[in-house]
Amino acid sequence: MPETKVQRYLRELYALYKVENIFQLKLKLNDNWLYEIRKKIEINKKDRINYILISFLNKDILNLNETHLILEVSRRLLNEDLKAVQQILEKFNLTYRSLNSKGIELIGNEGDKKKLFNTTLFYLFLERDYLPTIFNFLFYDFDQVIDEKIQAFTFNRIKKISSYMHTYLILKIQLLLYIGIIRNNKILNFYKLRDEIKIISKFCDENADRNIYKYNKTKKNEVDRFIKHLNKFINFSKPVLNELDTAESLIQLFRLIEYKNVFKIKKYYLLNKSFQNEHKEKRMLYITLTDLIEDYFWKKLKYKIDSFDKITFFLLLHEFVTLNNKKRINNQKNIIVYNFLQKIILNRLVKDLESEAVIISDVVSSYALKSYLENNSVKNIIIFESIDFQSFIKIDESISVIKLSLPFEREDLFNINIT
């Protein structure tokens, strides 16, 4: 669905419910509105194929009678899906064989099976909020297995290599451990997870701040060409790539855009009204810069960038381009919880908030939040993305969850109601 159509539908919803923004709309409905919508999502072919693939996770034998009832499709259509499943399995050196009266059995090397599960689960977790309810069992099971102990293990591993833990890296590590534990009859045994631990060590080495250039030479060259291209149309007040944090974040963003295009993943972010309407100079810069970038990615790389990519590029680059009342809550413990925001953006948000006397104690990935809340007292959770806490954790009623807009505007602080 094009982004313009999403925005049009939202405007129609605003008019119908006589509200001005999505947060009021959410309140006008009910607390379970997202769950109710997901129940009505149609199960498409891609969903059915992914469901079949992850059904092999707990045991290698799949009962087709049960599966076609859960997926609500005929046996004929299910057989067509199995042909597509076979094509995917072949890419992982796997296959399946039919069993009389039992269903089908996954055949192949255990390491190849884990690679298949990891690739499939990673995609499903990125799309977690937009999937039909047939996958609810998976997310519930993951949240039970990846407990505070596993989160702490992940936290300690990544904290050694980076000041902020990127959600994608955390998710990859936790999925490796989850798959290893499930394949070991849901028993946590670090000796039996030795292959996973080796892969995790390699991941951490490749993603360490100190090694970003060493392992991403191709992406670094792409970023160099990208900045040179922009230089033809706009003036940079200082060399962009001389700023190490900015250069690293651009490399990571290029990797992310490539991944999202391969798996056809889009993230939507609606710019807040005050940014669009009250700051015309900044708005024009946003439009000019993002139009140039969108055009570059499509013509040079054949990639489409989404609204989340655009706002990230803007936040990374706008300060290089040439063209108040304060809410005081510094006596309370405030943390930022994030999903896909990059390190440099989080650093800037922390500085912006602290310049407004909002003191941030910690910046925590949603995939480490369960463990963090177990060991730390928190008064306010500040988020800049749409994070559905209900789907994976119960937030204590004493903790306020505060949604701020991105880019951050000082006026947003007046929306914080702290008592």
Side-chain angles (χ1 to χ4, degrees), residues 141-156:
D141 191 51
F142 176 86
D143 291 334
Q144 298 303 305
V145 172
I146 303 301
D147 57 12
E148 291 83 351
K149 184 176 181 180
I150 299 294
Q151 283 194 0
F153 171 84
T154 309
F155 180 92
N156 292 332

Side-chain angles (χ1 to χ4, degrees), residues 385-401:
E385 304 162 83
S386 295
I387 302 175
D388 180 21
F389 291 115
Q390 286 184 336
S391 68
F392 65 93
I393 188 172
K394 181 174 175 58
I395 303 292
D396 191 275
E397 291 181 359
S398 64
I399 300 174
S400 298
V401 178

Side-chain angles (χ1 to χ4, degrees), residues 70-306:
I70 292 171
L71 297 178
E72 300 177 351
V73 294
S74 65
R75 290 299 295 266
R76 182 186 64 80
L77 193 55
L78 186 58
N79 285 333
E80 289 299 312
D81 291 339
L82 288 174
K83 292 177 183 178
V85 167
Q86 179 61 45
Q87 292 176 351
I88 294 172
L89 293 180
E90 287 171 359
K91 295 177 182 178
F92 292 87
N93 301 313
L94 300 170
T95 187
Y96 69 81
R97 67 181 176 195
S98 297
L99 302 173
N100 291 335
S101 74
K102 288 187 177 180
I104 57 174
E105 182 180 13
L106 183 64
I107 304 295
N109 177 274
E110 180 65 15
D112 292 330
K113 292 176 184 178
K114 287 182 177 179
K115 288 178 184 176
L116 167 70
F117 299 140
N118 196 277
T119 301
T120 308
L121 288 175
F122 190 62
Y123 168 78
L124 289 174
F125 271 80
L126 294 185
E127 293 283 278
R128 179 174 183 161
D129 292 337
Y130 315 111
L131 295 173
T133 54
I134 57 169
F135 296 103
N136 283 1
F137 79 95
L138 170 67
F139 303 129
Y140 175 81
D141 191 51
F142 176 86
D143 291 334
Q144 298 303 305
V145 172
I146 303 301
D147 57 12
E148 291 83 351
K149 184 176 181 180
I150 299 294
Q151 283 194 0
F153 171 84
T154 309
F155 180 92
N156 292 332
R157 277 286 175 136
I158 300 181
K159 203 67 176 174
K160 293 176 182 177
I161 65 167
S162 178
S163 54
Y164 289 134
M165 305 178 293
H166 200 290
T167 293
Y168 288 145
L169 182 57
I170 293 174
L171 183 54
K172 279 188 175 183
I173 291 174
Q174 291 185 351
L175 286 175
L176 277 167
L177 296 172
Y178 171 68
I179 292 165
I181 292 168
I182 294 297
R183 299 296 286 180
N184 189 37
N185 299 316
K186 290 197 174 183
I187 298 170
L188 174 58
N189 182 322
F190 279 105
Y191 175 74
K192 297 234 174 135
L193 290 171
R194 59 190 181 278
D195 290 337
E196 282 77 9
I197 300 298
K198 286 180 184 176
I199 296 172
I200 290 169
S201 297
K202 186 171 182 289
F203 273 154
C204 289
D205 185 52
E206 290 175 354
N207 286 274
D209 290 345
R210 63 183 181 275
N211 291 333
I212 194 74
Y213 292 132
K214 177 181 175 182
Y215 290 104
N216 293 278
K217 292 179 181 177
T218 302
K219 285 289 173 283
K220 181 182 181 299
N221 292 336
E222 286 183 16
V223 170
D224 287 338
R225 290 193 293 271
F226 168 70
I227 295 298
K228 286 178 183 176
H229 175 82
L230 292 183
N231 255 324
K232 296 176 184 177
F233 304 96
I234 55 177
N235 294 319
F236 289 116
S237 58
K238 54 184 176 178
V240 175
L241 299 181
N242 283 3
E243 299 282 342
L244 186 60
D245 276 353
T246 304
E248 289 178 355
S249 292
L250 284 169
I251 289 171
Q252 297 286 24
L253 185 54
F254 266 64
R255 291 172 63 190
L256 173 59
I257 290 170
E258 180 181 40
Y259 184 88
K260 289 198 293 186
N261 274 271
V262 169
F263 284 93
K264 296 181 173 58
I265 296 168
K266 287 187 177 181
K267 294 286 178 187
Y268 292 113
Y269 192 91
L270 302 180
L271 286 173
N272 62 78
K273 278 188 177 180
S274 63
F275 175 79
Q276 288 182 306
N277 300 329
E278 296 173 18
H279 302 270
K280 293 181 180 178
E281 182 180 346
K282 195 182 288 185
R283 186 185 177 206
M284 287 308 299
L285 174 58
Y286 173 82
I287 293 170
T288 302
L289 189 57
T290 55
D291 279 355
L292 277 171
I293 293 169
E294 187 173 31
D295 188 63
Y296 174 85
F297 270 87
W298 179 243
K299 288 183 178 177
K300 300 287 185 181
L301 302 173
K302 299 301 178 189
Y303 289 162
K304 287 187 176 181
I305 62 171
D306 58 34

